[in-house]
Amino acid sequence: MEFRHLGRSGLIISEIAYGNWLTHGSQVEQETATACIRAALDAGITTFDTADVYAETRAETVLGQGLKGERRAGLELLTKVYFPAGPGRNDRGLSRKHIMESIDGSLRRLQTDYIDLYQAHRYDHSTPLEETMDAFADVVRSGKALYIGVSEWTAEQIRAAHALARELHIPLVSNQPQYSALWRVIEAEVVPASEELGLGQVVWSPIAQGVLTGKYLPGARLPASTRARDDKGGAASVARWLRNDVLERVQQLKPLAAEAGLSLAQLAVAWVLQNSNVSAAIIGASRPEQVTENVKAAGVKLDAGLLKRMDEILTPVARFDPAITAEASPQTRP
């Protein structure tokens, strides 16, 4: 495993993080989830990402149980707040009330005294940003979280939050966006703003919801057991890529992966890690062997020629428009 600083902060995280969106407490129960967590630890992963909304809070509980007994100082725990975590009108968003109640719930479920990185899961247009940042400042000062991050915020939103964070003397250090060789909308605006302000990217879906593994073939029926068939497993987020023009181009990556000595999935994860503003790529798993396989992307350096050929293949079907930075809707909430 290789490690990187989270932005310009002093926090060091594993460049491959383990995330449990769509798996723990939903597709995968405790025994298998714990086996995946153990595989991640055995592979050198120290950074674990979750959110209170995943599996209606069960994902945090499963992760906390799976990490029980591990040395807390040797781990970096990341979680998020924003999406509905209960039936009440205030069980959502980034109000002071919801943030203060949510951090305590996350701490309880994760069986820990503090969160390393507490992230605003989306931007809340219904709550003043000043209120949100004041609440985050109090969470940090109380010792319940060490650093603050955001997820799927635009460059303009990040700049406004960073200005308030500086006034409040709290460390806003990261953004968690969707990013892959097919979804590159952060490159034009979010990455330059983050580099300027010292934020690092902790990216989700580096294999484009499984499409960049090459398992979906052009013109073929979907595999019987796949996320693309599971309405609760992110089918809507996979559907955008299940076009023959996309799938044909993904198949063209196979010789490049072979040249680099990688699987297609490893190539996809390694690709996002070539971006110097990426601090970590989040991988998920429903089986331990998936973790063991995908962590082999750690430390891989892809040469410029190979990267250029990947661009030539995927650029015609990739998404670049910064206006869709936050298009990841409540249907796709990693």
Side-chain angles (χ1 to χ4, degrees):
M1 183 55 58
E2 299 288 328
F3 297 85
R4 302 183 179 191
H5 280 274
L6 183 51
R8 287 203 293 266
S9 78
L11 182 64
I12 298 171
I13 62 177
S14 52
E15 69 174 16
I16 294 181
Y18 180 82
N20 68 354
W21 174 53
L22 295 176
T23 52
H24 295 185
S26 177
Q27 295 178 338
V28 176
E29 296 305 325
Q30 187 69 62
E31 184 177 354
T32 302
T34 297
C36 291
I37 292 167
R38 303 315 305 180
L41 291 166
D42 290 344
I45 290 175
T46 61
T47 305
F48 293 83
D49 179 80
T50 186
D52 57 5
V53 71
Y54 296 168
E56 299 175 328
T57 74
R58 294 189 301 277
E60 286 186 327
T61 300
V62 172
L63 181 59
Q65 188 62 31
L67 290 172
K68 192 173 183 179
E70 287 298 310
R71 189 176 73 90
R72 180 64 183 87
L75 303 173
E76 303 85 48
L77 295 185
L78 288 53
T79 193
K80 312 180 198 73
V81 55
Y82 170 81
F83 284 109
R89 290 185 298 273
N90 289 305
D91 291 333
R92 65 197 67 204
L94 297 178
S95 68
R96 169 175 286 274
K97 177 176 174 62
H98 185 48
I99 288 172
M100 292 303 185
E101 292 174 348
S102 292
I103 186 67
D104 287 339
S106 291
L107 292 173
R108 182 177 64 254
R109 290 186 290 270
L110 288 166
Q111 302 184 49
T112 185
D113 295 328
Y114 68 94
I115 302 299
D116 292 277
L117 179 67
Y118 199 41
Q119 303 160 98
H121 209 159
R122 292 295 185 272
Y123 187 85
D124 186 354
H125 293 277
S126 66
T127 300
L129 183 58
E130 292 80 2
E131 176 181 338
T132 295
M133 297 306 293
D134 274 336
F136 278 137
D138 287 343
V139 167
V140 170
R141 290 170 186 145
S142 71
K144 294 179 180 180
L146 305 184
Y147 299 86
I148 298 299
V150 300
S151 177
E152 294 294 354
W153 285 30
T154 66
E156 181 181 3
Q157 292 162 352
I158 289 171
R159 288 184 184 280
H162 185 267
L164 287 170
R166 289 194 66 178
E167 291 179 15
L168 293 163
H169 302 289
I170 57 170
L172 176 63
V173 300
S174 67
N175 176 49
Q176 186 174 134
Q178 180 177 183
Y179 186 50
S180 72
L182 286 172
W183 188 267
R184 300 175 60 173
V185 301
I186 64 170
E187 291 180 344
E189 297 178 0
V190 168
V191 166
S194 297
E195 288 176 333
E196 175 190 338
L197 301 174
L199 278 68
Q201 311 299 318
V202 179
V203 305
W204 61 271
S205 199
I207 59 175
Q209 289 87 50
V211 172
L212 285 169
T213 67
K215 67 180 178 180
Y216 300 112
L217 301 176
R221 291 172 59 87
L222 295 176
S225 177
T226 175
R227 180 180 297 178
R229 288 183 177 271
D230 184 359
D231 289 338
K232 295 181 180 179
S237 62
V238 182
R240 66 159 68 98
W241 303 122
L242 298 181
R243 309 191 318 263
N244 282 342
D245 60 336
V246 175
L247 301 181
E248 287 167 359
R249 287 181 177 274
V250 170
Q251 294 301 311
Q252 293 175 37
L253 296 176
K254 284 183 175 179
L256 278 65
E259 178 183 324
L262 303 170
S263 69
L264 280 177
Q266 292 162 358
L267 178 67
V269 176
W271 184 90
V272 303
L273 291 172
Q274 306 310 296
N275 188 319
S276 61
N277 191 231
V278 171
S279 298
I282 300 172
I283 63 168
S286 55
R287 303 187 309 276
E289 54 267 28
Q290 291 174 322
V291 179
T292 304
E293 186 67 16
N294 287 339
V295 295
K296 294 176 182 177
V300 170
K301 306 301 180 188
L302 300 176
D303 69 57
L306 188 145
L307 290 171
K308 183 175 184 291
R309 283 180 284 159
M310 284 187 69
D311 274 350
E312 291 170 348
I313 291 170
L314 295 180
T315 290
V317 293
R319 303 291 297 276
F320 291 87
D321 185 359
I324 56 174
T325 296
E327 186 178 293
S329 68
Q331 294 177 314
T332 55
R333 10 168 136 150

